[in-house]
Every structure is written in structure tokens, then in C-alpha cells.
Amino acid sequence: MTAKEYLLRYRDAYREAQAIEQKMTQLRLKYALPSAIQYSDMPKAHNTEHDLSDYMARMDELTDHLVSQYCKCMGIEGDILQRIEQIEKVEERQVLRYRYTYITDQGKLMKWEDVADRMHVVRMTATRIHGRALQHFPVD
């Protein structure tokens, strides 16, 4: 596994947590919004509607999954930050920290322009520092 792949694990875990949150939101909407009554003269089977206990069981399952995913995210982030701290040069640590541990609400990495702004350098310099930092990043 390359250094970049190792660092991207945090973003991927964060995106998985967001996907679980989206499933929970969809499930809430499905049960919260009233459904339209459909009248028909055709015979139907018995009540096939899911009851509240099905909803609560699914929400409990998703909540447990979400909590475990966030714990996984925190573990990955902690491991990455610990490895970043092993790098000697401050600017290399900064660029890796900004680029790989500051995830946007959309689950994206911080843009290079934003990384460069925070470091008070131009974009090209930030990417050059990033290249050196990846070479110095300790991967098992």
C-alpha cells in the first residue's frame, strides 16, 4: 500500500459513515411522510405495511453500524495523525494534515488552493511539499 492509499483510508471511511447517515435519513422520511391512500376494487393480501417495530429495528441496526463506522474513522484518523507527527519537517506535516484529515461535508479532501492558503504558499509549492511528504510518510 502506498502512502497516498494509506492516507485516503480516512476519507473512504468518512464517506461510508455519510452513506449510512443518508440511509437513515431516507428511512426516516419513508416512515415520517404519510403515504397516499389508494382505493381499488381489486382484492388484496392482508396488511403488508411494515409496522413501527420494523422501522425501529432497522434504525437500531443502522445506528449501531454508524457508531462502529465513526469509531473506525476516529481510529484511522488517530493512526494517520500519529504517523504524520513522525515526519521531521513542519511544512510536510502541515500539508498532509490539511490535505488528508480535513474532510469537507461532501466527503471530499481539502482543495489544493485551500491547503496552499492555510500554509501561506502558492499551490505549486504546496503540491511539491506534498510530494516530498509522501516520500517521508511512514507506511508499514
Side-chain angles (χ1 to χ4, degrees), residues 91-102 109-123 125-127 129-130:
E91 64 271 1
E92 290 179 5
R93 288 195 307 260
Q94 284 179 327
V95 75
L96 291 179
R97 205 176 302 119
Y98 290 141
R99 181 68 175 164
Y100 295 104
T101 63
Y102 288 61
L109 300 175
M110 184 181 280
K111 293 180 182 179
W112 281 113
E113 292 78 13
D114 297 333
V115 171
D117 286 345
R118 285 186 183 229
M119 295 180 66
H120 307 290
V121 296
V122 296
R123 184 183 188 279
T125 303
T127 57
I129 294 169
H130 175 261

Side-chain angles (χ1 to χ4, degrees), residues 9-10 69-81:
R9 290 177 27 237
Y10 176 63
Q69 188 63 35
Y70 274 126
C71 288
K72 180 180 175 182
C73 283
M74 289 171 35
I76 291 171
E77 181 185 26
D79 179 53
I80 287 171
L81 289 171

Side-chain angles (χ1 to χ4, degrees), residues 41-62:
D41 56 353
M42 297 300 292
K44 294 183 181 179
H46 291 89
N47 188 5
T48 57
E49 292 291 317
H50 299 287
D51 61 357
L52 189 57
S53 62
D54 292 338
Y55 166 74
M56 291 306 296
R58 182 70 177 137
M59 285 300 286
D60 282 345
E61 180 183 315
L62 287 172

